[in-house]
Amino acid sequence: MTAAGVLADRAIRAMTEDGSILAEAPVLDCQIQPASLDLRLGTTAYRVRASFLAGRGRTVAERLGELEMHRFDIGGGAVLEKGCVYVVPLMESLALPADLAGAASAKSSIGRLDLLTRIITDHGTEFDRVPAGYRGPLYVEICPQSFSVIVRAGQMLNQIIFRRGRTRIDDDELRAIHARSPIVSGGEAVISGGLGFSVDLRPAEGTLVGYRAKPHTGVIDLARIGHYDPADFWEEVRTATGRIILDPGAFYILVSREAIAIPPDCAAEMAPYLAMVGEFRVHYAGFFDPGFGWAEAGGAGSRGVLEVRCHEAPFVLEHGQIVGRLVYERMAALPERIYGAGLASNYQGQGLKLSKHFRQT
């Protein structure tokens, strides 16, 4: 019997060989992560009037015919402007077996740039969810929120995991895992519907607690790594009181108080925003690979970077306030490689950190 759980790298590689994952160009080894597949942009972008889902019985191509404003080639690079909505067909498509479903998320660096990127499918009624047995193309909707960006065909903005059967680890199981080897440091494990995490507004040194995106900036080329001066795009957020006020519409980079670890036989997903927490949302990038923050993979717990947008009203955020939760999932098998061990893992052992496109200060 095939094991339930999130598929690991070996199984994802097998999917590229048996036709469950199809691609216009061969899937690269660097696309296959411990528990996910990075998805590549195709060569054409469509500027559309509004965000949309295909809906039951309809294809994305049909909806593009209704909503397209213009299309353009991104093979050599093109600007996607802040405040606009684009749809890009991906190089990968799927022919999933009946017992396998998919879930997608922005990659961490993309979330930290305030790029809203969501996968849409034919007949889809939810963003970032691929139903079991889906056969068809994949598209990504891209909505730059804070910065205009330059994208190119072949770049990887999103990732997808594949789930078979029941994968979620319930609270009792999670407490048992934590008892064997701590999954959080810096305080008591708050386990309720997953692992709760809070915001750090009292750093061990200094008063810098985060960054706020500037409203009027230049363009960010996603191909440029370690290139941009943070001061050109971000304002520092400082406090000596353990409290800040979030402004409506503003985008912030903050950090969790707790250092989090994902054991090699688990993956995790940041749970959806809940309105009861406050008038803000912890943002887009949602997946944590096996080995994130795990000591044997070169971590000593890694703090979660929080991509925060405030909504209708100014909101007071205080040190230690619970702002979200991680839902842990079991892996169907151990991955061949885990996050931080033999991989180019940009955020292992991280603290407060902007995306890899910025020079480290």
Side-chain angles (χ1 to χ4, degrees):
M1 181 177 178
T2 305
V6 175
L7 297 197
D9 44 16
R10 185 192 302 273
I12 294 172
R13 192 170 292 110
M15 292 174 66
T16 69
E17 297 166 355
D18 68 16
S20 300
I21 297 171
L22 305 167
E24 297 172 6
V27 172
L28 306 173
D29 185 62
C30 66
Q31 289 179 252
I32 300 175
Q33 304 302 324
S36 61
L37 174 73
D38 292 345
L39 300 169
R40 296 170 293 181
L41 299 179
T43 57
T44 303
Y46 296 81
R47 169 77 166 90
V48 294
R49 285 184 284 150
S51 172
F52 67 88
L53 289 164
R56 289 187 176 87
R58 306 197 68 183
T59 67
V60 175
E62 290 170 347
R63 301 307 306 274
L64 285 173
E66 300 168 0
L67 296 169
E68 174 188 347
M69 296 173 68
H70 63 91
R71 68 185 73 177
F72 52 96
D73 184 83
I74 61 171
V79 175
L80 305 187
E81 296 185 18
K82 181 174 80 170
C84 298
V85 183
Y86 303 88
V87 173
V88 179
L90 296 172
M91 289 188 181
E92 289 76 28
S93 58
L94 299 175
L96 297 181
D99 64 343
L100 206 62
S105 172
K107 291 175 64 65
S108 182
S109 292
I110 299 307
R112 295 181 200 207
L113 290 175
D114 199 18
L115 274 177
L116 176 59
T117 64
R118 305 186 287 193
I119 298 301
I120 50 180
T121 63
D122 289 346
H123 321 297
T125 57
E126 294 181 277
F127 290 109
D128 284 336
R129 293 297 182 261
V130 181
Y134 177 77
R135 292 174 174 263
L138 298 173
Y139 302 79
V140 61
E141 175 191 278
I142 307 173
C143 308
Q145 303 286 290
S146 289
F147 313 119
S148 297
V149 296
I150 297 173
V151 301
R152 292 172 176 80
Q155 288 180 326
M156 294 169 274
L157 279 57
N158 293 72
Q159 58 196 125
I160 187 169
I161 67 171
F162 300 97
R163 293 171 170 143
R164 177 179 288 115
R166 179 184 177 274
T167 65
R168 181 167 177 163
I169 295 172
D170 65 29
D171 287 348
D172 288 340
E173 293 174 284
L174 193 57
R175 291 187 188 97
I177 291 170
H178 179 63
R180 290 196 300 270
S181 183
I183 57 174
V184 63
S185 60
E188 180 184 354
V190 178
I191 297 176
S192 178
L195 176 66
F197 56 87
S198 63
V199 63
D200 184 8
L201 298 179
R202 291 190 185 275
E205 296 181 4
T207 59
L208 179 66
V209 297
Y211 299 91
R212 170 179 161 152
K214 291 185 172 182
H216 308 291
T217 69
V219 176
I220 294 175
D221 186 338
L222 297 186
R224 293 182 177 269
I225 307 302
H227 176 77
Y228 296 99
D229 184 347
D232 292 336
F233 295 85
W234 301 94
E235 300 170 352
E236 292 184 347
V237 178
R238 294 181 176 272
T239 180
T241 65
R243 173 188 299 172
I244 61 174
I245 297 178
L246 303 177
D247 291 324
F251 177 76
Y252 298 83
I253 296 292
L254 304 173
V255 68
S256 71
R257 182 174 61 90
E258 302 83 4
I260 297 160
I262 312 297
D265 58 352
C266 298
E269 182 177 14
M270 192 176 290
Y273 160 76
L274 295 175
M276 293 83 78
V277 172
E279 292 299 325
F280 63 93
R281 98 168 243 177
V282 177
H283 217 232
Y284 311 125
F287 293 144
F288 291 75
D289 269 315
F292 179 86
W294 192 250
E296 294 177 11
S302 291
R303 295 207 277 167
V305 167
L306 311 176
E307 301 137 3
V308 176
R309 180 177 295 283
C310 185
H311 292 314
E312 290 84 0
F315 186 80
V316 176
L317 199 59
E318 306 205 36
H319 176 72
Q321 183 171 343
I322 298 292
V323 294
R325 57 198 169 93
L326 286 180
V327 175
Y328 280 66
E329 301 181 75
R330 64 179 51 81
M331 296 292 296
L334 286 173
E336 295 175 335
R337 298 180 295 174
I338 60 177
Y339 191 91
L343 295 174
S345 304
N346 290 294
Y347 305 118
Q348 185 73 302
Q350 70 182 355
L352 177 65
K353 191 174 184 181
L354 296 172
S355 82
K356 62 186 179 181
H357 306 90
F358 297 97
R359 297 197 292 271
Q360 298 304 310
T361 57

